[in-house]
């Protein structure tokens, strides 16, 4: 619905959150952890989008209607941050976080061209493959292969490369 690039730059909180994250991530990589957290918390206050400064984000991340998004990290020593590839699309209310049960890396890695629907939770130290789709409201607790669509609580794969998965429940209503 944006009418110009200027409107996007000035008025879209997803763009602001990514720009603030770039600054916070630079500070984080240069061991200015307190300043990095200050920038990320300022961004969270103004945009409603929380991105830990340690998270690695690829090119062209789009955060659409981003209120309530959390891209987590558990700490400098305890766990590795979430990682996002290029051309990722996140809708409102998405959480990329840990389950609290894992040691070491606790957050997910999203491949390139991944779409995560509104309210979805992707929790744990696994990979969501390239071109994967996660449905709105899904709770993903294990890896999603590339070119797959995952739905449900807990999430399961219902499409592979655009075709209904043969192991999908016959009663599922998938269009």
């Amino acid at each position: 619905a944006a009418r110009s690039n200027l409107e996007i730059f000035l008025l879209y909180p997803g763009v602001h959150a990514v720009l603030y994250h770039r600054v916070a991530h630079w500070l984080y990589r240069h061991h200015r952890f307190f300043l990095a957290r200050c920038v990320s918390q300022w961004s969270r206050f103004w945009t409603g989008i929380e991105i830990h400064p340690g998270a690695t984000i690829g090119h062209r991340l789009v955060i659409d209607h981003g209120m309530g998004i959390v891209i987590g990290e558990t700490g400098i020593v305890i766990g590795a941050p979430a990682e996002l590839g290029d051309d990722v699309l996140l809708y409102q209310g998405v959480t990329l976080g840990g389950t609290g049960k894992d040691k070491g890396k606790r957050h997910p890695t999203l491949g390139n061209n991944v779409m995560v629907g509104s309210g979805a939770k992707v929790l744990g130290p696994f990979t969501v493959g390239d071109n994967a789709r996660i449905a709105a409201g899904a709770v993903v607790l294990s890896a999603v292969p590339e070119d797959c669509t995952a739905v449900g609580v807990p999430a399961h794969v219902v499409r592979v490369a655009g075709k209904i998965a043969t192991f999908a429940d016959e009663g599922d209503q998938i269009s």
Side-chain angles (χ1 to χ4, degrees), residues 51-124:
I51 306 174
H52 190 281
T56 303
I57 295 176
H59 298 288
R60 297 173 301 278
L61 168 65
V62 174
I63 299 174
D64 195 15
H65 304 285
M67 185 60 77
I69 286 182
V70 176
I71 301 173
E73 202 267 0
T74 53
I76 301 161
V77 178
I78 298 172
E83 300 172 52
L84 284 71
D86 296 334
D87 303 307
V88 171
L89 172 59
L90 303 177
Y91 287 97
Q92 70 270 13
V94 167
T95 299
L96 305 177
T99 61
K101 297 188 236 177
D102 302 297
K103 298 199 187 284
K105 180 164 174 56
R106 295 173 45 170
H107 292 81
T109 298
L110 273 58
N112 297 323
N113 197 35
V114 171
M115 189 278 300
V116 184
S118 299
K121 310 300 178 216
V122 184
L123 306 172

Side-chain angles (χ1 to χ4, degrees), residues 17 19-25 27 33-45 51 53:
L19 293 173
Y20 277 123
H21 172 73
R22 300 289 185 207
V23 172
H25 188 66
L27 290 166
F33 303 118
F34 181 78
L35 288 174
R37 282 302 293 227
C38 285
V39 171
S40 71
Q41 291 303 301
W42 177 258
S43 175
R44 177 180 176 226
F45 174 77
I51 306 174

